[in-house]
Amino acid sequence: MMLTVLITGASSGIGKAFAELFARKGYRVILASRNEGKLSELAEQLERKYGVETISVAVDLADSGGPEQLYKELRLQQIAVDVLINNAGIGSFGKLYEMDVHSELAMIQLNVHSLSHLMMLFLPDMVQRGSGRILNVGSTTSFYACPLSANYSASKAFVLSLTEAVASELQGTGVSVTALCPGATGTDFFRRAKMENQKIAKQEATMTPDKVAEIGYRALMRSKTFVIPGFQNWLLAQAPRLFPRRFVTKITRGVLEQKL
Ligand SMILES: NC(=O)c1ccc[n+]([C@@H]2O[C@H](COP(=O)([O-])OP(=O)(O)OC[C@H]3O[C@@H](n4cnc5c(N)ncnc54)[C@H](OP(=O)(O)O)[C@@H]3O)[C@@H](O)[C@H]2O)c1
């Protein structure tokens, strides 16, 4: 039986890499993001290359009605989602007290509310069927506070905490949830977050989205609660356990302030 994966933020970066990977594995792929043109182009490519069925849904997940719209649209087409890749997310850069309030709240809506809302919509069906997998995209910043990206790092801490708690609740149901916590990855993320002139956007350890998706896929299939791609990123995530938190915050700020 053909399995179905729903990928949010599938139009670029890590989401697009996941779409390619699941299509290669023979899944029916549902692509969701705002950019209808990019989604249709990708859908066509995947169908041609892998002969799989694809469905594109243009949806703004920073809108509070976005998750419900997506869920209802799939229900209407009687599509059951076997795997949900909760990937859509954006970053921001600057001091909280200087940031545009509207954009920051929209980011929290997307990274936090929408991600949790999608889980709450799709999980009951999965639990009832006794099978399903969810992957939530966090970050290495899920593990520590990031000055100059305060709301972003807090939003990613939420993703990891939510995932760990729900993973425990799901024990024995046949359903699993995994947090993928990448470090710097070569996508459009830094440009969109207006961080392209910061050194972190071009650091040596930057991974390709394909590699990140591959590591996430493996962890998801093994029902791991979380995974941090790459040894250097894993070390970074351990910092708050090894050093005083204030020290880690200071170092993180220093790293983020470095310009190219
Ligand atoms: N790149 C990194 O260094 C890095 C590191 C750690 C974690 N992450 C996380 O990885 C995830 C994917 O990011 P990426 O690096 O692949 O960046 P990206 O290339 O900028 O992709 C972001 C995706 O999210 C979608 N998106 C943005 N706003 C949306 C909205 N309002 N509604 C629906 N979809 C929306 C975008 O599509 P549209 O513009 O078409 O809507 C795009 O497909 C994010 O959660 C990010 O926080 C990235």
Side-chain angles (χ1 to χ4, degrees), residues 190-208:
F190 291 106
R191 187 190 59 78
R192 289 193 202 219
K194 298 189 174 59
M195 293 174 78
E196 69 268 49
N197 295 325
Q198 303 308 117
K199 217 171 176 178
I200 185 155
K202 298 269 180 312
Q203 65 172 298
E204 248 175 62
T206 300
M207 271 195 180
T208 65

Side-chain angles (χ1 to χ4, degrees), residues 148-170:
L148 306 176
S149 280
N151 271 325
Y152 177 72
S153 59
S155 77
K156 293 299 179 181
F158 175 93
V159 173
L160 179 60
S161 172
L162 178 77
T163 305
E164 286 185 299
V166 177
S168 165
E169 293 170 5
L170 288 171

Side-chain angles (χ1 to χ4, degrees), residues 88-243:
I90 52 169
S92 70
F93 188 69
K95 293 176 182 153
L96 188 79
Y97 60 83
E98 292 173 351
M99 302 301 279
D100 175 66
V101 173
H102 180 74
S103 320
E104 286 293 287
L105 294 182
M107 178 181 69
I108 295 170
Q109 183 73 37
L110 175 67
N111 294 7
V112 173
H113 291 237
S114 170
L115 178 137
S116 175
H117 195 169
L118 285 170
M119 281 180 83
M120 287 191 276
L121 288 169
F122 286 97
L123 266 177
D125 299 342
M126 290 181 175
V127 171
Q128 202 183 8
R129 288 198 307 268
S131 71
R133 296 181 192 278
I134 295 182
L135 182 136
N136 293 327
V137 179
S139 163
T140 43
T141 67
S142 299
F143 295 88
Y144 47 81
C146 247
L148 306 176
S149 280
N151 271 325
Y152 177 72
S153 59
S155 77
K156 293 299 179 181
F158 175 93
V159 173
L160 179 60
S161 172
L162 178 77
T163 305
E164 286 185 299
V166 177
S168 165
E169 293 170 5
L170 288 171
Q171 277 168 19
T173 63
V175 182
S176 68
V177 57
T178 301
L180 168 64
C181 300
T185 309
T187 68
D188 228 12
F189 176 85
F190 291 106
R191 187 190 59 78
R192 289 193 202 219
K194 298 189 174 59
M195 293 174 78
E196 69 268 49
N197 295 325
Q198 303 308 117
K199 217 171 176 178
I200 185 155
K202 298 269 180 312
Q203 65 172 298
E204 248 175 62
T206 300
M207 271 195 180
T208 65
D210 288 345
K211 184 76 194 161
V212 170
E214 191 190 306
I215 293 169
Y217 177 85
R218 256 187 276 134
L220 178 73
M221 291 305 150
R222 288 178 191 160
S223 306
K224 285 180 79 170
T225 304
F226 69 88
V227 65
I228 305 162
F231 180 66
Q232 212 165 314
N233 290 327
W234 179 83
L235 267 184
L236 260 179
Q238 309 313 310
R241 300 198 319 175
L242 304 171
F243 304 102

